[in-house]
Protein backbone atom coordinates (compact mmCIF):
# COMPACT_ATOMS: atom_id res chain seq x y z
CA UNK A 1 0.00 0.00 0.00
CA UNK A 2 1.51 3.32 -0.98
CA UNK A 3 1.40 6.40 1.08
CA UNK A 4 -1.31 7.97 -1.05
CA UNK A 5 -3.74 5.11 -0.38
CA UNK A 6 -2.93 5.25 3.30
CA UNK A 7 -3.57 8.92 3.52
CA UNK A 8 -6.85 8.80 1.54
CA UNK A 9 -9.93 9.50 3.68
CA UNK A 10 -12.25 6.64 4.60
CA UNK A 11 -15.60 6.47 2.78
CA UNK A 12 -18.45 8.18 4.76
CA UNK A 13 -21.90 6.60 5.44
CA UNK A 14 -24.97 8.19 3.80
CA UNK A 15 -26.63 11.00 5.87
CA UNK A 16 -29.48 9.97 8.23
CA UNK A 17 -33.16 10.81 7.36
CA UNK A 18 -34.05 14.01 9.30
CA UNK A 19 -37.82 13.10 9.38
CA UNK A 20 -37.41 9.74 11.12
CA UNK A 21 -37.29 11.11 14.66
CA UNK A 22 -40.35 13.41 14.38
CA UNK A 23 -42.34 10.55 12.80
CA UNK A 24 -41.55 8.30 15.74
CA UNK A 25 -42.58 11.04 18.18
CA UNK A 26 -45.97 11.37 16.48
CA UNK A 27 -46.64 7.66 16.81
CA UNK A 28 -45.78 7.76 20.50
CA UNK A 29 -48.06 10.79 21.10
CA UNK A 30 -50.94 9.10 19.30
CA UNK A 31 -50.51 5.95 21.35
CA UNK A 32 -50.47 7.92 24.60
CA UNK A 33 -53.67 9.80 23.59
CA UNK A 34 -55.46 6.53 22.81
CA UNK A 35 -54.44 5.10 26.17
CA UNK A 36 -55.73 8.21 27.96
CA UNK A 37 -59.04 8.04 26.10
CA UNK A 38 -59.42 4.38 27.03
CA UNK A 39 -58.72 5.16 30.68
CA UNK A 40 -61.24 8.01 30.65
CA UNK A 41 -63.92 5.77 29.13
CA UNK A 42 -63.23 3.06 31.66
CA UNK A 43 -63.47 5.59 34.48
CA UNK A 44 -66.78 6.92 33.24
CA UNK A 45 -68.20 3.39 32.90
CA UNK A 46 -67.03 2.61 36.44
CA UNK A 47 -68.67 5.73 37.86
CA UNK A 48 -71.96 4.96 36.08
CA UNK A 49 -71.98 1.40 37.34
CA UNK A 50 -71.11 2.57 40.81
CA UNK A 51 -73.99 5.07 40.76
CA UNK A 52 -76.38 2.34 39.59
CA UNK A 53 -75.23 0.06 42.36
CA UNK A 54 -75.70 2.89 44.87
CA UNK A 55 -79.28 3.38 43.59
CA UNK A 56 -79.92 -0.31 44.25
CA UNK A 57 -79.30 0.26 47.93
CA UNK A 58 -82.98 1.19 48.44
CA UNK A 59 -84.56 -0.57 51.38
CA UNK A 60 -85.26 -4.13 50.37
CA UNK A 61 -88.43 -6.01 51.03
CA UNK A 62 -88.28 -7.82 54.37
CA UNK A 63 -86.93 -11.30 53.87
CA UNK A 64 -85.10 -10.35 50.68
CA UNK A 65 -86.53 -9.61 47.26
CA UNK A 66 -86.84 -6.72 44.85
CA UNK A 67 -86.50 -3.17 46.23
CA UNK A 68 -89.51 -1.24 47.45
CA UNK A 69 -91.18 1.41 45.29
CA UNK A 70 -91.37 4.90 46.80
CA UNK A 71 -94.85 6.36 46.43
CA UNK A 72 -96.82 9.35 47.60
CA UNK A 73 -99.55 8.63 50.12
CA UNK A 74 -102.55 10.12 51.87
CA UNK A 75 -104.92 9.00 54.60
CA UNK A 76 -108.62 8.70 53.83
CA UNK A 77 -110.52 11.06 56.11
CA UNK A 78 -114.07 12.19 56.68
CA UNK A 79 -114.90 15.72 55.64
CA UNK A 80 -117.79 17.97 54.70
CA UNK A 81 -117.74 17.98 50.91
CA UNK A 82 -119.65 20.79 49.18
CA UNK A 83 -122.07 19.88 46.39
CA UNK A 84 -121.54 22.59 43.77
CA UNK A 85 -122.88 23.49 40.35
CA UNK A 86 -120.30 25.24 38.18
CA UNK A 87 -121.43 27.49 35.36
CA UNK A 88 -120.32 30.40 33.24
CA UNK A 89 -122.25 33.58 33.96
CA UNK A 90 -122.66 37.11 32.69
CA UNK A 91 -122.96 40.13 34.96
CA UNK A 92 -126.05 42.19 34.15
CA UNK A 93 -127.15 45.39 35.90
CA UNK A 94 -130.24 45.27 38.07
CA UNK A 95 -131.59 48.12 35.94
CA UNK A 96 -130.29 49.99 32.90
CA UNK A 97 -131.90 53.29 31.87
CA UNK A 98 -131.20 55.54 28.89
CA UNK A 99 -131.57 59.20 29.81
CA UNK A 100 -133.61 60.89 27.06
CA UNK A 101 -135.09 64.42 26.93
CA UNK A 102 -138.86 64.61 27.33
CA UNK A 103 -139.17 67.93 25.51
CA UNK A 104 -137.39 69.48 22.56
CA UNK A 105 -135.16 72.44 23.16
CA UNK A 106 -131.67 73.89 23.39
CA UNK A 107 -129.38 72.02 25.81
CA UNK A 108 -127.79 74.73 27.92
CA UNK A 109 -125.93 72.81 30.64
CA UNK A 110 -124.54 69.30 31.23
CA UNK A 111 -124.08 68.84 34.98
CA UNK A 112 -122.66 65.32 35.28
CA UNK A 113 -119.21 63.76 34.88
CA UNK A 114 -118.87 60.67 32.76
CA UNK A 115 -118.56 57.55 34.87
CA UNK A 116 -119.70 59.07 38.15
CA UNK A 117 -122.17 57.50 40.54
CA UNK A 118 -125.49 59.36 40.49
CA UNK A 119 -128.58 59.14 42.66
CA UNK A 120 -132.19 59.05 41.59
CA UNK A 121 -133.53 62.60 41.10
CA UNK A 122 -130.10 64.19 40.69
CA UNK A 123 -130.00 67.02 38.12
CA UNK A 124 -128.01 65.92 35.06
CA UNK A 125 -128.72 68.56 32.36
CA UNK A 126 -130.74 71.67 31.69
CA UNK A 127 -132.79 72.67 28.63
CA UNK A 128 -133.60 76.32 27.96
CA UNK A 129 -136.85 76.82 29.99
CA UNK A 130 -137.99 80.21 28.62
CA UNK A 131 -140.32 78.95 25.86
CA UNK A 132 -142.00 76.61 28.30
CA UNK A 133 -142.40 79.33 30.90
CA UNK A 134 -144.27 81.45 28.35
CA UNK A 135 -146.47 78.51 27.39
CA UNK A 136 -147.31 78.03 31.05
CA UNK A 137 -148.30 81.68 31.45
CA UNK A 138 -150.54 81.45 28.40
CA UNK A 139 -152.26 78.34 29.79
CA UNK A 140 -152.77 80.03 33.13
CA UNK A 141 -154.34 83.10 31.45
CA UNK A 142 -156.75 80.98 29.46
CA UNK A 143 -157.79 79.10 32.56
CA UNK A 144 -158.42 82.25 34.55
CA UNK A 145 -160.55 83.74 31.73
CA UNK A 146 -162.68 80.63 31.42
CA UNK A 147 -163.06 80.38 35.21
CA UNK A 148 -164.42 83.95 35.28
CA UNK A 149 -166.96 83.12 32.57
CA UNK A 150 -167.96 80.00 34.50
CA UNK A 151 -168.48 81.99 37.69
CA UNK A 152 -170.68 84.51 35.85
CA UNK A 153 -172.73 81.70 34.24
CA UNK A 154 -173.33 80.13 37.64
CA UNK A 155 -174.60 83.42 39.11
CA UNK A 156 -176.94 83.88 36.15
CA UNK A 157 -178.27 80.34 36.59
CA UNK A 158 -179.09 81.09 40.25
CA UNK A 159 -181.07 84.20 39.25
CA UNK A 160 -182.97 82.24 36.57
CA UNK A 161 -183.92 79.59 39.08
CA UNK A 162 -185.23 82.24 41.47
CA UNK A 163 -187.32 83.79 38.71
CA UNK A 164 -188.57 80.36 37.68
CA UNK A 165 -189.76 79.76 41.25
CA UNK A 166 -191.71 83.03 41.02
CA UNK A 167 -193.09 81.96 37.63
CA UNK A 168 -191.46 84.99 36.05
CA UNK A 169 -189.34 83.21 33.45
CA UNK A 170 -189.68 80.29 31.14
CA UNK A 171 -188.10 76.97 32.09
CA UNK A 172 -186.31 76.80 28.73
CA UNK A 173 -184.11 79.75 29.64
CA UNK A 174 -183.16 78.07 32.88
CA UNK A 175 -182.22 74.87 31.09
CA UNK A 176 -180.17 76.77 28.51
CA UNK A 177 -178.23 78.57 31.24
CA UNK A 178 -177.60 75.31 33.07
CA UNK A 179 -176.15 73.80 29.87
CA UNK A 180 -173.90 76.82 29.47
CA UNK A 181 -172.59 76.35 32.99
CA UNK A 182 -171.73 72.69 32.32
CA UNK A 183 -170.03 73.69 29.05
CA UNK A 184 -167.89 76.26 30.81
CA UNK A 185 -167.03 73.74 33.52
CA UNK A 186 -165.65 71.44 30.82
CA UNK A 187 -163.71 74.30 29.28
CA UNK A 188 -162.14 75.18 32.63
CA UNK A 189 -161.20 71.51 33.19
CA UNK A 190 -159.50 71.47 29.79
CA UNK A 191 -157.68 74.69 30.64
CA UNK A 192 -156.43 73.19 33.88
CA UNK A 193 -155.13 70.16 32.00
CA UNK A 194 -153.34 72.38 29.49
CA UNK A 195 -151.85 74.35 32.34
CA UNK A 196 -150.67 71.14 33.99
CA UNK A 197 -149.11 70.00 30.72
CA UNK A 198 -147.31 73.30 30.35
CA UNK A 199 -146.03 73.07 33.93
CA UNK A 200 -144.94 69.47 33.31
CA UNK A 201 -143.06 70.45 30.15
CA UNK A 202 -141.37 73.20 32.10
CA UNK A 203 -140.28 70.63 34.66
CA UNK A 204 -138.93 68.39 31.88
CA UNK A 205 -136.43 71.10 31.01
CA UNK A 206 -134.55 69.87 34.13
CA UNK A 207 -133.26 66.44 33.11
CA UNK A 208 -132.82 64.37 36.28
CA UNK A 209 -131.53 60.85 36.89
CA UNK A 210 -134.40 58.34 36.66
CA UNK A 211 -132.45 55.75 38.69
CA UNK A 212 -129.37 55.42 40.87
CA UNK A 213 -126.20 53.91 39.43
CA UNK A 214 -123.15 54.62 37.34
CA UNK A 215 -123.62 56.96 34.39
CA UNK A 216 -121.81 56.25 31.15
CA UNK A 217 -120.34 58.41 28.43
CA UNK A 218 -122.44 61.33 27.24
CA UNK A 219 -123.47 61.46 23.60
CA UNK A 220 -124.61 65.11 23.42
CA UNK A 221 -122.77 68.25 24.48
CA UNK A 222 -124.18 71.54 25.71
CA UNK A 223 -125.30 73.88 22.93
CA UNK A 224 -127.01 71.20 20.84
CA UNK A 225 -130.72 71.13 20.08
CA UNK A 226 -132.22 67.94 21.52
CA UNK A 227 -135.53 66.31 20.72
CA UNK A 228 -137.63 63.57 22.21
CA UNK A 229 -136.88 61.27 19.27
CA UNK A 230 -133.15 60.94 20.00
CA UNK A 231 -132.39 57.20 19.99
CA UNK A 232 -129.10 57.40 21.90
CA UNK A 233 -130.27 59.90 24.48
CA UNK A 234 -127.88 61.85 26.66
CA UNK A 235 -126.27 58.90 28.50
CA UNK A 236 -127.00 55.51 30.06
CA UNK A 237 -127.29 54.73 33.77
CA UNK A 238 -126.61 51.20 35.00
CA UNK A 239 -127.43 50.10 38.52
CA UNK A 240 -124.41 48.22 39.90
CA UNK A 241 -125.32 48.01 43.60
CA UNK A 242 -126.92 45.52 43.79
CA UNK A 243 -126.13 43.71 40.57
CA UNK A 244 -127.24 40.40 39.04
CA UNK A 245 -125.40 37.49 37.44
CA UNK A 246 -127.22 35.39 34.87
CA UNK A 247 -126.06 31.84 34.11
CA UNK A 248 -127.40 28.57 32.69
CA UNK A 249 -127.71 25.19 34.39
CA UNK A 250 -128.46 21.81 32.90
CA UNK A 251 -132.08 20.72 32.92
CA UNK A 252 -130.96 17.59 34.83
CA UNK A 253 -130.01 19.76 37.84
CA UNK A 254 -133.30 21.64 38.08
CA UNK A 255 -134.70 19.11 40.53
CA UNK A 256 -131.62 19.38 42.76
CA UNK A 257 -131.85 23.16 42.79
CA UNK A 258 -135.55 23.20 43.66
CA UNK A 259 -134.98 20.68 46.45
CA UNK A 260 -132.09 22.74 47.81
CA UNK A 261 -134.25 25.88 47.68
CA UNK A 262 -136.98 24.14 49.67
CA UNK A 263 -134.43 23.11 52.33
CA UNK A 264 -132.60 26.47 52.42
CA UNK A 265 -134.11 29.46 50.61
CA UNK A 266 -130.88 31.50 50.61
CA UNK A 267 -128.54 29.40 48.47
CA UNK A 268 -125.04 30.84 48.39
CA UNK A 269 -123.57 31.71 44.99
CA UNK A 270 -119.89 32.59 44.54
CA UNK A 271 -118.58 34.61 41.61
CA UNK A 272 -114.99 33.85 40.57
CA UNK A 273 -112.75 35.52 38.04
CA UNK A 274 -111.65 34.04 34.73
CA UNK A 275 -108.81 32.01 36.32
CA UNK A 276 -111.15 30.64 39.05
CA UNK A 277 -108.57 31.69 41.66
CA UNK A 278 -109.92 35.04 42.89
CA UNK A 279 -113.30 35.34 44.59
CA UNK A 280 -115.06 38.47 43.37
CA UNK A 281 -118.16 38.41 45.55
CA UNK A 282 -120.73 36.21 47.27
CA UNK A 283 -124.45 36.51 46.63
CA UNK A 284 -127.79 34.73 46.89
CA UNK A 285 -129.59 32.62 44.34
CA UNK A 286 -132.68 34.43 43.02
CA UNK A 287 -134.72 32.26 40.68
CA UNK A 288 -134.89 29.92 37.69
CA UNK A 289 -136.49 30.77 34.39
CA UNK A 290 -139.93 29.33 33.63
CA UNK A 291 -138.89 27.18 30.66
CA UNK A 292 -136.10 25.04 29.23
CA UNK A 293 -134.17 26.24 26.21
CA UNK A 294 -134.78 23.40 23.74
CA UNK A 295 -131.72 24.33 21.68
CA UNK A 296 -129.25 23.80 24.55
CA UNK A 297 -131.21 21.76 27.13
CA UNK A 298 -130.46 24.35 29.81
CA UNK A 299 -132.44 26.66 32.07
CA UNK A 300 -131.46 30.24 32.75
CA UNK A 301 -130.90 31.23 36.37
CA UNK A 302 -130.16 34.47 38.16
CA UNK A 303 -128.33 35.38 41.35
CA UNK A 304 -128.06 38.77 43.07
CA UNK A 305 -124.89 40.25 44.55
CA UNK A 306 -124.54 43.32 46.75
CA UNK A 307 -121.30 44.27 44.94
CA UNK A 308 -120.21 46.54 47.76
CA UNK A 309 -116.61 46.60 46.51
CA UNK A 310 -117.58 47.12 42.87
CA UNK A 311 -115.72 44.00 41.71
CA UNK A 312 -118.55 42.98 39.36
CA UNK A 313 -118.89 45.05 36.20
CA UNK A 314 -121.83 44.97 33.77
CA UNK A 315 -121.44 42.45 30.89
CA UNK A 316 -118.44 40.87 32.60
CA UNK A 317 -117.94 37.09 32.22
CA UNK A 318 -117.50 35.27 35.53
CA UNK A 319 -117.37 31.70 36.79
CA UNK A 320 -120.29 30.86 39.06
CA UNK A 321 -120.41 28.24 41.82
CA UNK A 322 -123.85 27.46 43.27
CA UNK A 323 -123.63 25.67 46.63
CA UNK A 324 -126.54 23.25 46.99
CA UNK A 325 -125.56 21.50 50.22
CA UNK A 326 -122.69 19.86 52.09
CA UNK A 327 -122.40 16.11 52.57
CA UNK A 328 -120.23 14.16 55.03
CA UNK A 329 -118.13 11.58 53.18
CA UNK A 330 -114.81 9.74 53.18
CA UNK A 331 -112.52 11.74 50.90
CA UNK A 332 -109.14 11.16 49.31
CA UNK A 333 -107.10 13.28 46.89
CA UNK A 334 -108.30 13.11 43.31
CA UNK A 335 -104.92 11.71 42.21
CA UNK A 336 -105.50 8.59 44.36
CA UNK A 337 -108.46 7.38 42.30
CA UNK A 338 -107.58 5.58 39.07
CA UNK A 339 -109.73 4.13 36.33
CA UNK A 340 -109.12 0.75 34.71
CA UNK A 341 -110.93 -1.78 32.57
CA UNK A 342 -112.99 -2.92 35.57
CA UNK A 343 -113.84 0.54 36.86
CA UNK A 344 -112.43 2.87 39.49
CA UNK A 345 -109.88 1.61 42.00
CA UNK A 346 -107.27 2.75 44.52
CA UNK A 347 -104.09 1.21 45.89
CA UNK A 348 -104.41 0.70 49.66
CA UNK A 349 -101.17 0.44 51.69
CA UNK A 350 -101.44 -2.38 54.23
CA UNK A 351 -99.66 -2.62 57.58
CA UNK A 352 -96.96 -4.87 56.05
CA UNK A 353 -96.26 -2.14 53.47
CA UNK A 354 -97.76 -4.15 50.65
CA UNK A 355 -100.37 -2.57 48.42
CA UNK A 356 -103.75 -3.99 47.59
CA UNK A 357 -105.81 -3.00 44.58
CA UNK A 358 -109.31 -2.19 45.76
CA UNK A 359 -112.32 -1.25 43.65
CA UNK A 360 -114.21 1.82 44.85
CA UNK A 361 -117.28 3.86 43.94
CA UNK A 362 -116.66 7.55 43.58
CA UNK A 363 -119.10 10.27 44.65
CA UNK A 364 -119.01 14.05 44.61
CA UNK A 365 -115.72 15.71 43.74
CA UNK A 366 -114.07 19.11 44.09
CA UNK A 367 -110.91 20.43 42.50
CA UNK A 368 -108.66 18.50 44.89
CA UNK A 369 -110.82 15.96 46.75
CA UNK A 370 -112.89 12.96 45.72
CA UNK A 371 -115.63 11.37 47.84
CA UNK A 372 -115.58 7.56 48.07
CA UNK A 373 -119.00 6.11 48.78
CA UNK A 374 -118.03 2.42 48.76
CA UNK A 375 -114.83 0.42 49.05
CA UNK A 376 -112.75 2.53 51.45
CA UNK A 377 -112.83 3.24 55.17
CA UNK A 378 -111.76 6.27 57.11
CA UNK A 379 -108.12 6.10 58.24
CA UNK A 380 -106.86 3.79 55.49
CA UNK A 381 -103.75 4.88 53.63
CA UNK A 382 -103.87 5.13 49.84
CA UNK A 383 -101.29 5.78 47.13
CA UNK A 384 -101.48 9.20 45.47
CA UNK A 385 -98.25 9.25 43.42
CA UNK A 386 -96.33 6.50 41.72
CA UNK A 387 -99.31 4.23 41.19
CA UNK A 388 -98.41 3.62 37.55
CA UNK A 389 -95.43 1.52 38.73
CA UNK A 390 -97.43 -0.64 41.11
CA UNK A 391 -99.09 -4.01 40.93
CA UNK A 392 -101.27 -5.78 43.43
CA UNK A 393 -99.12 -7.14 46.29
CA UNK A 394 -96.01 -5.05 45.67
CA UNK A 395 -94.05 -3.66 48.60
CA UNK A 396 -93.80 0.13 48.88
CA UNK A 397 -92.41 2.82 51.07
CA UNK A 398 -94.20 6.12 51.29
CA UNK A 399 -93.05 9.64 51.79
CA UNK A 400 -94.15 9.64 55.40
CA UNK A 401 -92.00 6.59 56.26
CA UNK A 402 -88.78 6.99 58.26
CA UNK A 403 -85.76 7.17 56.01
CA UNK A 404 -87.72 7.85 52.84
CA UNK A 405 -86.48 11.41 52.76
CA UNK A 406 -83.42 11.17 54.97
CA UNK A 407 -80.03 9.54 54.20
CA UNK A 408 -79.81 5.78 53.88
CA UNK A 409 -78.12 3.85 56.68
CA UNK A 410 -74.44 3.50 55.97
CA UNK A 411 -74.45 6.42 53.58
CA UNK A 412 -73.96 9.25 56.06
CA UNK A 413 -70.18 9.15 55.71
CA UNK A 414 -67.82 8.22 52.89
CA UNK A 415 -68.95 5.31 50.80
CA UNK A 416 -68.01 2.06 52.37
CA UNK A 417 -67.79 3.41 55.91
CA UNK A 418 -70.96 1.94 57.38
CA UNK A 419 -72.33 3.45 60.56
CA UNK A 420 -73.41 0.00 61.75
CA UNK A 421 -72.45 -3.59 60.92
CA UNK A 422 -73.77 -4.55 57.51
CA UNK A 423 -76.85 -6.71 57.71
CA UNK A 424 -77.92 -5.38 61.08
CA UNK A 425 -81.35 -3.83 61.04
CA UNK A 426 -81.75 -0.33 62.41
CA UNK A 427 -84.07 0.36 65.28
CA UNK A 428 -87.72 1.21 64.61
CA UNK A 429 -88.27 4.87 64.08
CA UNK A 430 -91.62 6.75 63.99
CA UNK A 431 -92.74 8.02 60.56
CA UNK A 432 -94.26 11.38 59.73
CA UNK A 433 -97.72 10.08 60.65
CA UNK A 434 -96.67 8.70 64.01
CA UNK A 435 -96.39 5.07 62.90
CA UNK A 436 -93.25 3.04 63.57
CA UNK A 437 -91.55 2.07 60.33
CA UNK A 438 -88.48 -0.19 60.23
CA UNK A 439 -85.72 0.19 57.72
CA UNK A 440 -83.82 -2.89 56.72
CA UNK A 441 -80.31 -2.67 55.34
CA UNK A 442 -79.14 -4.46 52.24
CA UNK A 443 -77.83 -7.97 53.05
CA UNK A 444 -74.02 -8.24 53.17
CA UNK A 445 -72.35 -9.32 49.96
CA UNK A 446 -70.02 -12.29 49.90
CA UNK A 447 -66.51 -11.14 49.03
Amino acid sequence: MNSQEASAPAPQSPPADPGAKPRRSRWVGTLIALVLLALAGAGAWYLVQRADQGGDEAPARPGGGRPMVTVGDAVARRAELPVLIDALGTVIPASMVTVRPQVAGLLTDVLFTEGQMVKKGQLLAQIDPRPFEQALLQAQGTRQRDEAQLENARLTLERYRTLLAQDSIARQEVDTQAALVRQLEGTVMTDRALEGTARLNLGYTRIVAPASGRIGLRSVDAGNYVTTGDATGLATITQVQPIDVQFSVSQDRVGDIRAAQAASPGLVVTALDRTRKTELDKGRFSTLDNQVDTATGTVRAKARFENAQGALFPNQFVNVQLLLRKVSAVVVPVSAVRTGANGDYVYVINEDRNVSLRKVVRGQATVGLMAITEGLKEGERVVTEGGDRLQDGMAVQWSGASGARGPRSGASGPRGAASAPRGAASAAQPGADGEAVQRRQRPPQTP
Side-chain angles (χ1 to χ4, degrees), residues 94-444:
S95 65
M96 183 170 61
V97 182
T98 300
V99 181
R100 291 188 175 93
Q102 300 296 309
V103 293
L106 183 66
L107 189 65
T108 58
D109 293 306
V110 176
L111 305 175
F112 66 89
T113 302
E114 296 172 328
Q116 81 174 88
M117 298 295 296
V118 298
K119 295 183 179 180
K120 184 177 181 180
Q122 180 178 340
L123 181 62
L124 301 179
Q126 178 72 51
I127 296 176
D128 187 4
R130 291 174 297 178
F132 302 95
E133 291 175 349
Q134 300 303 316
L136 176 60
L137 290 176
Q138 183 178 1
Q140 288 176 344
T142 302
R143 176 184 58 81
Q144 291 176 0
R145 182 197 63 191
D146 292 339
E147 284 181 347
Q149 291 179 357
L150 175 62
E151 184 65 23
N152 182 49
R154 285 175 176 171
L155 293 175
T156 303
L157 178 62
E158 290 297 327
R159 296 190 190 99
Y160 284 178
R161 287 176 177 172
T162 302
L163 294 174
L164 179 63
Q166 297 175 357
D167 199 16
S168 300
I169 191 174
R171 179 175 294 274
Q172 182 178 359
E173 293 184 7
V174 176
D175 295 339
T176 302
Q177 188 64 29
L180 178 60
V181 168
R182 289 194 296 271
Q183 179 182 352
L184 291 176
E185 287 177 347
T187 302
V188 169
M189 185 178 295
T190 301
D191 293 339
R192 289 175 179 174
L194 292 175
E195 181 184 356
T197 301
R199 185 176 285 107
L200 187 62
N201 289 336
L202 179 60
Y204 281 152
T205 60
R206 301 178 71 258
I207 302 176
V208 298
S212 300
R214 186 187 302 277
I215 194 167
L217 305 179
R218 71 172 183 267
S219 57
V220 179
D221 297 325
N224 288 280
Y225 187 84
V226 295
T227 62
T228 58
D230 292 340
T232 57
L234 300 182
T236 302
I237 298 176
T238 56
Q239 183 179 353
V240 295
Q241 292 178 349
I243 202 167
D244 295 332
V245 173
Q246 182 175 303
F247 56 97
S248 297
V249 297
S250 173
Q251 61 181 358
D252 299 331
R253 305 304 300 271
V254 172
D256 294 339
I257 295 175
R258 294 175 64 87
Q261 278 188 300
S264 176
L267 298 181
V268 178
V269 181
T270 304
L272 305 174
D273 66 347
R274 180 178 56 84
T275 62
R276 305 179 65 89
K277 295 181 180 179
T278 303
E279 179 181 310
L280 300 178
D281 202 356
K282 282 186 177 293
R284 297 290 179 181
F285 183 78
S286 298
T287 184
L288 288 170
D289 198 3
N290 58 359
Q291 59 184 348
V292 177
D293 187 351
T294 57
T296 60
T298 59
V299 180
R300 291 186 301 173
K302 183 181 290 186
R304 173 150 293 189
F305 296 79
E306 292 299 328
N307 198 26
Q309 304 300 325
L312 299 177
F313 202 80
N315 292 341
Q316 176 185 3
F317 290 104
V318 295
N319 289 288
V320 178
Q321 286 186 344
L322 172 59
L323 178 61
L324 298 181
R325 60 186 180 277
K326 290 185 178 181
V327 295
S328 178
V330 177
V331 298
V332 295
V334 173
S335 58
V337 182
R338 301 175 180 275
T339 303
N342 296 326
D344 299 326
Y345 66 93
V346 297
Y347 282 113
V348 179
I349 304 176
N350 303 318
E351 295 182 357
D352 57 357
R353 292 191 293 180
N354 292 338
V355 296
S356 300
L357 188 150
R358 188 179 300 175
K359 297 176 65 175
V360 295
V361 177
R362 67 172 68 189
Q364 298 289 335
T366 62
V367 177
L369 296 177
M370 175 74 70
I372 304 299
T373 58
E374 295 181 9
L376 195 64
K377 297 181 180 179
E378 182 180 356
E380 291 186 305
R381 189 178 297 274
V382 296
V383 174
T384 58
E385 298 179 3
D388 53 344
R389 299 173 294 173
L390 296 179
Q391 294 180 358
D392 193 11
M394 290 184 64
V396 297
Q397 63 176 2
W398 55 92
S399 58
S402 175
R405 295 180 179 176
R408 294 187 298 269
S409 178
S412 59
R415 190 171 184 84
S419 59
R422 296 180 64 86
S426 62
Q429 300 180 1
D433 55 352
E435 298 180 0
V437 182
Q438 291 186 345
R439 291 184 299 169
R440 186 180 183 88
Q441 300 296 329
R442 185 178 181 180

